[in-house]
Amino acid sequence: MASSSLYRGRFAPSPTGPLHAGSLVAALASWLDARAHGGIWLVRLEDVDTPRCVPGASEHILQQLASCGLVSDGPVLWQSQRGAHYQQALDQLIANGHAYPCGCSRKDIETVLQSQGLSRERHQTAVYPGTCRPERGGLQGKPAHAWRFALDPASTDVRWIDRRLGPQTQNVATAVGDFVLKRADGLWAYQLAVVVDDAAQGITHVVRGEDLADNTPRQIVLQRALAVPTPAYLHTPLVLGANGEKLSKQNGAQALDLSDPGAALAQAAASLGLPVSARSLPEALALWAQAWPYHHVATRP
Ligand code: GLU
């Protein structure tokens, strides 16, 4: 997928349902930013978490995007067809001492955390206490459930500059711990798949919703371990529902009403701080180029 463009962006929806108003904002922002830079915009369907994928949702999403005029500049990439590439990356991480097998169940992890008097919870997922790290004895006879990334405890304070949110920092070890690369059920974890595919597609700029911002440091440590480039990141404002919570398929956001695509685009453009009159892509693009307040922020950490 070679290209002479210096900018390669992408929109990477998970087909767990149709697009909702919040996902159109991320799609539109990634498209506008790619076009404003004279770049390429690619669509990638993140259908690795098969139990959560809804049959037909991928095709529906592509139709919804097309009815707004958003069409991938290259072949659509389907993560469900990329297992061999994820395995290759995992093998590379294992060979370099960056990944280890883990035999802990969720209950094992909770028991260890409780015995340490810790209730380190983050988004309901316990911070992994490192029980199966090789230097602590590894699996110790337990069958392997999952593969985890072995964070280097000496260098896990990750700093990066988000084009909208500004300088960011996260200590991945204390925030999430050794995170999962391949799940106990054999499915590939989002973190590994997204890093492998951003690299494979030559993505230079990631534009996505702010709810994903705290995944960025995990992706940066993985990029470093796999010796692939770190793209520039821009996390867009979240769309909140009437209850003040972020719109998501999980909390029952309605599928987009695309009977009037111009109105849906205008609403998405308004969420990005562009004037509500942006009813068409050319109009939104002109406004993005003029009014988007974060263009001047350095795009590299
Ligand atoms: N597939 C993810 C989602 O739909 C987005 C991944 C990304 O943009 O990095 O939430």
Side-chain angles (χ1 to χ4, degrees):
M1 260 185 257
S3 157
S4 58
S5 172
L6 294 176
Y7 183 116
R8 291 172 68 86
R10 49 55 158 198
F11 174 56
S14 302
T16 52
L19 291 184
H20 55 73
S23 31
L24 183 63
V25 172
L28 177 63
S30 61
W31 186 92
L32 290 172
D33 201 51
R35 285 293 178 271
H37 286 84
I40 300 277
W41 182 77
L42 299 167
V43 174
R44 179 168 76 228
L45 284 157
E46 301 211 321
D47 56 347
V48 269
D49 190 352
T50 36
R52 288 183 56 230
C53 291
V54 172
S58 296
E59 294 73 12
H60 190 172
I61 288 173
L62 293 173
Q63 278 163 13
Q64 289 179 302
L65 290 171
S67 65
C68 292
L70 303 172
V71 179
S72 182
D73 291 324
V76 172
L77 202 71
W78 299 70
Q79 288 195 325
S80 54
Q81 294 168 14
R82 305 228 349 118
H85 298 271
Y86 306 146
Q87 187 62 54
Q88 213 173 16
L90 178 60
D91 290 344
Q92 184 183 336
L93 293 170
I94 295 168
N96 294 331
H98 289 304
Y100 63 91
C102 172
C104 296
S105 64
R106 203 165 292 168
K107 189 151 185 301
D108 294 336
I109 296 171
E110 271 160 29
T111 309
V112 172
L113 290 176
Q114 272 165 14
S115 73
Q116 295 174 345
L118 299 171
S119 56
R120 292 186 295 172
E121 297 268 323
R122 185 181 175 78
H123 304 321
Q124 282 94 46
T125 304
V127 175
Y128 184 60
T131 319
C132 293
R133 280 183 72 101
E135 73 273 19
R136 295 189 33 191
L139 287 171
Q140 301 191 8
K142 287 184 282 189
H145 276 283
W147 284 86
R148 289 185 182 273
F149 185 77
L151 287 165
D152 174 357
S155 61
T156 54
D157 228 354
V158 177
R159 291 168 203 281
W160 80 102
I161 295 174
D162 183 273
R163 292 169 56 205
R164 173 174 155 259
L165 302 171
Q168 305 287 307
T169 185
Q170 186 190 85
N171 184 302
V172 185
T174 53
V176 284
D178 291 346
F179 53 90
V180 170
L181 301 168
K182 189 175 190 185
R183 295 170 17 174
D185 56 10
L187 296 178
W188 295 102
Y190 158 66
Q191 307 296 350
L192 181 71
V194 80
V195 165
V196 169
D197 288 343
D198 281 341
Q201 293 186 289
I203 300 302
T204 57
H205 292 71
V206 171
V207 178
R208 61 185 177 192
E210 193 175 327
D211 53 326
L212 291 162
D214 81 342
N215 290 266
T216 307
R218 271 170 279 176
Q219 294 169 19
I220 291 174
V221 292
L222 258 177
Q223 287 152 359
R224 290 176 184 163
L226 288 166
V228 296
T230 292
Y233 287 95
L234 189 166
H235 289 90
T236 56
L238 292 183
V239 179
L240 303 180
N243 58 2
E245 283 185 20
K246 118 178 157 75
L247 278 192
S248 74
K249 292 160 198 159
Q250 285 73 30
N251 67 22
Q254 298 290 310
L256 267 179
D257 175 6
L258 287 171
S259 54
D260 179 357
L265 281 175
Q267 203 194 354
S271 297
L272 290 167
L274 303 175
V276 190
S277 63
R279 285 185 56 89
S280 70
L281 290 178
E283 201 185 337
L285 183 54
L287 292 166
W288 177 271
Q290 289 161 20
W292 179 252
Y294 306 105
H295 272 321
H296 60 282
V297 177
T299 56
R300 295 277 166 192

